[in-house]
DNA sequence: CTGAATCCATTAGGATACTG
DNA sequence: CAGTATCCTAATGGATTCAG
């Protein structure tokens, strides 16, 4: 499993002789997922929902600085990719509950490891950043 | 390690009683890392450099559709965060080699697990997406 | 060969007002 | 309560040109 081999899988058009017209990266799994996961709110919502199902208003209160526009949109995108499920309860007024799917829990296993790494190594990253900014000015 | 507890760590200002003026998310480790990792080219470059060190021109050829501007910028940002090292060889014309640091290799362990997940489950995500788009119209 | 600088198009995301 | 719709700003990223 060399890097180049993986790269070829993930960028189908990456060869020595490149047919620019034939390049199509819409099928790259890594980009396809990172595009969604890399959003400003996705990981935080997955973390919250990994613990337990939550209603729309609960999520809104737990993420104090999210706009309802981005909450709606991020939840819908996560649902679209199959990571979370949306269930409507016909109460008056209606309530909606969001919860992790099996696919979402499967994703959350490697994802949470990465998030744990971020917490554990945040100081090292910040230190590297300061070092870089001081020498390079 | 409940979700709420983690959330509080990662969003220092997330409480019931919110002092909006005191909110400061610049210190959230998850956002701080995902902001960089979530970029369009970061993960691909880390994958390539995890295999072996590469020169600027090599990277340019291996990622056929990256612009010079984004290659330079992404490499610089990865170096700034301490994930990769940059070494200049005083040849004529000069050559520059990029390689993983220990911190970068440390990051790459959980990261590669996530990327492997993306490859293994790409079909499931695409299927979920089609399902969503067909019912919701 | 390895960039820096400039200009421009696209997108992500926030503020506000309105609805079933 | 759980959203839509509209408008607007900031950030990403590509194309092109210039430089050590």
């Amino acid at each position: 499993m060399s890097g180049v081999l993986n790269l070829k899988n993930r960028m189908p058009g990456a060869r020595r002789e490149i047919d620019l017209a034939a390049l199509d990266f819409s099928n790259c799994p890594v980009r396809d997922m990172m595009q969604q996961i890399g959003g400003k709110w996705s990981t935080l919502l997955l973390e919250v929902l990994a613990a337990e199902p939550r209603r729309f208003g609960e999520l809104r209160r737990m993420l104090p600085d999210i706009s309802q526009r981005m909450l709606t949109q991020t939840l819908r995108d996560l649902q679209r990719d199959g990571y979370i499920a949306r269930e409507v309860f016909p109460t008056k007024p209606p309530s909606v509950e969001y919860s992790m799917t099996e696919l979402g829990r499967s994703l959350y296993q490697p994802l949470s490891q990465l998030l744990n790494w971020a917490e554990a190594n945040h100081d090292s990253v910040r230190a590297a950043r300061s070092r870089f900014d001081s020498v390079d000015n």
Side-chain angles (χ1 to χ4, degrees), chain A:
Chain A
M1 171 153 76
S2 85
V4 179
L5 224 64
N6 274 339
L7 184 65
K8 231 189 141 185
N9 281 341
R10 286 162 190 174
M11 298 180 69
R15 307 175 220 98
R16 287 293 165 189
E17 318 282 332
I18 299 157
D19 179 1
L20 288 172
L23 285 180
D24 175 23
F25 298 102
S26 61
N27 207 35
C28 170
V30 170
R31 284 192 189 173
D32 204 21
M33 186 203 58
M34 290 302 290
Q35 169 78 355
Q36 176 57 39
I37 291 312
K40 185 170 179 180
W41 303 104
S42 298
T43 55
L44 284 171
L45 282 174
L46 288 176
E47 272 201 295
V48 171
L49 293 178
E52 54 182 309
R54 294 285 182 183
R55 292 191 27 206
F56 187 88
E58 285 184 290
L59 295 170
R60 192 152 159 53
R61 281 187 294 276
M62 294 179 76
L63 277 52
D65 64 344
I66 195 173
S67 64
Q68 86 263 56
R69 182 189 186 281
M70 288 313 296
L71 180 54
T72 302
Q73 182 175 307
T74 306
L75 286 171
R76 184 141 50 79
D77 290 344
L78 292 175
Q79 182 195 359
R80 186 171 112 97
D81 282 7
Y83 302 143
I84 67 177
R86 175 180 186 270
E87 189 175 7
V88 183
F89 296 96
T91 56
K92 278 196 340 190
S95 61
V96 180
E97 189 179 85
Y98 293 91
S99 58
M100 290 291 263
T101 62
E102 280 312 304
L103 187 65
R105 295 193 184 285
S106 156
L107 164 68
Y108 187 68
Q109 292 184 21
L111 178 60
S112 63
Q113 295 305 306
L114 183 64
L115 303 186
N116 288 338
W117 186 95
E119 285 189 0
N121 297 88
H122 194 214
D123 289 345
S124 300
V125 172
R126 285 165 58 92
R129 214 172 278 179
S130 304
R131 231 175 298 128
F132 183 90
D133 291 344
S134 60
V135 296
D136 187 63
N137 189 24

